[in-house]
Amino acid sequence: MNPQPQDPERVRDEDLLCRTSLEVIGVLREASNVTVLVDLVEPDGAPTGRKAVYKPIRGERPLVDFPTGTLAAREVSAYLVSELGGWRLVPPTVLRDGPLGPGSVQLWMEVEDSPLPGAGLIDVLRPEEVASGWKRVVDAQDETGAALVVVHADDARLRSMAVLDAVLDNADRKAAHLGITGERLWGFDHGLCLHTEPKLRTVLWGWAGEPLRQEDLDSVRAVRDAVTDGSSGLEALLAPGEIAALSTRLEALRASQQMPLLPPDRYPLPWPLW
């Protein structure tokens, strides 16, 4: 694969994240792991006007199914894969030292809102309200036992995110892990991805089994080529078995040319959905 020219915006953002000081603003209490909002400050003390989310490795809660101390590297790996495939759905993210030691640092994006019910991307509707333009995810009930349906929009941005999640084997694609800036969709919180075992859990199952678009196949091929020729940068972040599992997923998507089917042997949704 011929090396692609580096995107100037990506280079600028990564440089900003690496060279600035991290000045703590506060802790995001709703996060399950230690998550710190920081100001990015120039070495001479000048403010940059930009913020970031810093997740120190020492603040990661031990998990049963993911190796301890690896979530920060997975956050950075998800960003690299998003860039390699041309999706650009994950904000710039680097691994660096900070006030609480090494961790991931992701550029803060001012989003209008997460796709809450009623916002037009992911919703909970009565069965009779599900019209064209919506994709069904799961049937549900309200507190009275009345039927409900969790749906997401048949939206090109969401579809690209669903393809990226299939590549990443994202085990935690909640609706709240999405955000919108203008017309641009962002995905956040990718610590639970890139495992050696199939763990895809997502609210974006509406395209299950449908053909991949040509742009999807092109993105999958670009990631596969970078992983194959060693130019992905993932070797410094992931275990060999995790990179091998990524390669297997990429080849499976290329061979099937379709979105993954719901797994018959495990629960396929995140909890909670939002």
Side-chain angles (χ1 to χ4, degrees):
M1 183 183 75
N2 294 325
Q4 296 297 313
Q6 286 190 302
D7 178 74
E9 183 181 4
R10 169 183 169 175
V11 172
R12 184 171 61 251
D13 288 342
E14 290 181 5
D15 177 66
L16 181 71
L17 291 170
C18 289
R19 67 179 166 76
T20 51
S21 299
L22 309 183
E23 293 198 356
V24 175
I25 299 173
V27 176
L28 303 181
R29 297 293 183 183
E30 66 273 16
S32 56
N33 298 294
V34 174
T35 302
V36 183
L37 184 63
V38 297
D39 270 326
L40 300 176
V41 180
E42 297 285 5
D44 63 2
T48 65
R50 303 299 300 273
K51 298 179 177 64
V53 175
Y54 163 51
K55 297 182 179 180
I57 293 173
R58 65 188 291 187
E60 294 178 6
R61 178 170 54 88
L63 299 171
V64 173
D65 54 347
F66 277 80
T68 300
T70 66
L71 304 191
R74 296 176 197 279
E75 293 270 10
V76 180
S77 298
Y79 165 64
L80 291 181
V81 170
S82 175
E83 292 295 307
L84 290 168
W87 288 290
R88 305 205 69 194
L89 291 168
V90 180
T93 314
V94 301
L95 192 66
R96 56 160 288 181
D97 202 9
L100 296 175
S104 65
V105 181
Q106 183 173 91
L107 201 61
W108 174 265
M109 295 299 171
E110 295 291 346
V111 298
E112 298 163 13
D113 212 341
S114 296
L116 300 172
L121 285 183
I122 301 173
D123 216 330
V124 181
L125 304 175
R126 302 292 183 189
E128 62 272 14
E129 296 173 330
V130 181
S132 61
W134 290 107
K135 292 286 190 179
R136 300 173 74 105
V137 178
V138 65
D139 294 333
Q141 292 181 338
D142 65 13
E143 63 276 7
T144 69
L148 297 171
V149 184
V150 178
V151 297
H152 63 69
D154 191 1
D155 182 280
R157 298 168 298 176
L158 285 180
R159 185 164 185 149
S160 294
M161 189 70 74
V163 177
L164 174 60
D165 283 341
V167 170
L168 294 175
D169 193 27
N170 191 349
D172 197 30
R173 176 59 72 202
K174 297 179 174 70
H177 292 176
L178 300 166
I180 302 169
T181 302
E183 294 298 313
R184 188 160 185 178
L185 181 71
W186 294 106
F188 309 102
D189 292 318
H190 295 97
L192 301 184
C193 68
L194 294 161
H195 202 280
T196 55
E197 302 172 2
K199 289 185 178 292
L200 183 60
R201 294 190 291 266
T202 175
V203 293
L204 302 178
W205 278 113
W207 294 285
E210 292 191 13
L212 289 168
R213 301 164 297 182
Q214 185 58 51
E215 64 196 78
D216 301 327
L217 292 169
D218 291 343
S219 294
V220 168
R221 182 172 59 251
V223 178
R224 183 213 56 177
D225 289 349
V227 172
T228 300
D229 68 18
S231 64
S232 69
L234 296 171
E235 292 79 7
L237 298 164
L238 300 173
E242 293 163 346
I243 293 177
L246 170 61
S247 296
T248 298
R249 287 193 300 277
L250 293 165
E251 290 299 338
L253 287 168
R254 289 186 67 250
S256 69
Q257 298 192 22
Q258 69 177 29
M259 296 290 286
L261 296 169
L262 274 79
D265 56 346
R266 60 181 176 83
Y267 189 70
L269 300 171
W271 182 257
L273 297 179
W274 270 268

